[in-house]
Amino acid sequence: MVVVGASFGALAVSAGLSTLTAVAMSLLVFAGGSQFLAVAIVAAGGAPVAAVLGGLLLNARHLPFGLAVAHVVGRSWPARIIGAHVMVDEVVAFARSADPRRARQAYWLLGAAMFTTWNLGTVLGAWAGALLPDPDRLGVDAAFPAALFALLLPTVRGAATIRATVAGAGLALAVTPFVPAGLPVLIGLLGLVAAGRLTKVPA
């Protein structure tokens, strides 16, 4: 996560954001995919409103996440507020796969680790990005997609999942040359619809 956070910091600065803005975004937003999407939209000339709306749409997946881990996070309001802030994909995945007796411990330990390393990486990347004329030449723009691919690959099992993955990736790649940055990943969600229609529902 230090490497992925650093890639975000470097790309944010190269896209025109100040180091302070990049660091504040990681501290206050702490949502990797939405942060990359917002920076990509702004870098492509999109309006800040479009960046915010795109980030909110992408983070809508946190609604079912919250339902899935509500019993793990805790019942007090401070626990719910802080727990919601560190509720990223990896934290939810680890908490859901952990021994139920240790799920809460797994959630909070990984949440704290992810938040710390992501923000440390952002600071390092923003500092390095300010010194480099073009961070993309070092391949830092590929760090985040590579990390997500590594997390996704072990879960691509079963016919329905494979159909959704192939359809979504195909749609995203097909529209990439024709739509603004950030939109292909959202259009790729239509792969779920295509896979659902191909799946037979038992009577």
Side-chain angles (χ1 to χ4, degrees):
M1 288 310 296
V2 172
V3 174
V4 181
S7 72
F8 167 75
L11 291 173
V13 170
S14 68
L17 275 68
S18 67
T19 298
L20 180 60
T21 301
V23 172
M25 184 182 289
S26 284
L27 284 170
L28 301 176
V29 178
F30 186 52
S34 294
Q35 290 181 226
F36 276 95
L37 176 62
V39 168
I41 291 175
V42 171
V49 173
V52 172
L53 290 177
L56 289 174
L57 181 59
L58 187 59
N59 265 9
R61 70 190 188 282
H62 285 80
L63 294 173
F65 282 179
L67 295 173
V69 298
H71 65 290
V72 173
V73 172
R75 296 185 178 276
S76 67
W77 278 109
R80 290 182 179 185
I81 293 172
I82 298 173
H85 191 57
V86 299
M87 188 176 60
V88 294
D89 303 61
E90 297 87 348
V91 175
V92 173
F94 271 83
R96 295 280 294 170
S97 62
D99 185 323
R101 295 170 296 179
R102 299 179 179 176
R104 180 169 298 182
Q105 182 182 22
Y107 185 93
W108 286 105
L109 284 176
L110 188 64
M114 294 284 290
F115 184 80
T116 302
T117 52
W118 175 265
N119 282 281
L120 174 62
T122 299
V123 172
L124 294 175
W127 173 75
L131 302 177
L132 298 173
D134 186 9
D136 287 2
R137 295 182 62 184
L138 298 179
V140 295
D141 56 322
F144 184 69
L148 286 183
F149 182 73
L151 287 169
L152 174 67
L153 193 59
T155 68
V156 182
R157 298 175 181 175
T161 304
I162 292 174
R163 280 196 295 267
T165 302
V166 172
L171 283 170
L173 288 173
V175 301
T176 294
F178 310 107
V179 300
L183 287 183
V185 68
L186 299 178
I187 294 173
L189 293 174
L190 295 175
L192 293 173
V193 178
R197 289 183 175 180
L198 291 173
T199 303
K200 294 183 178 179
V201 180

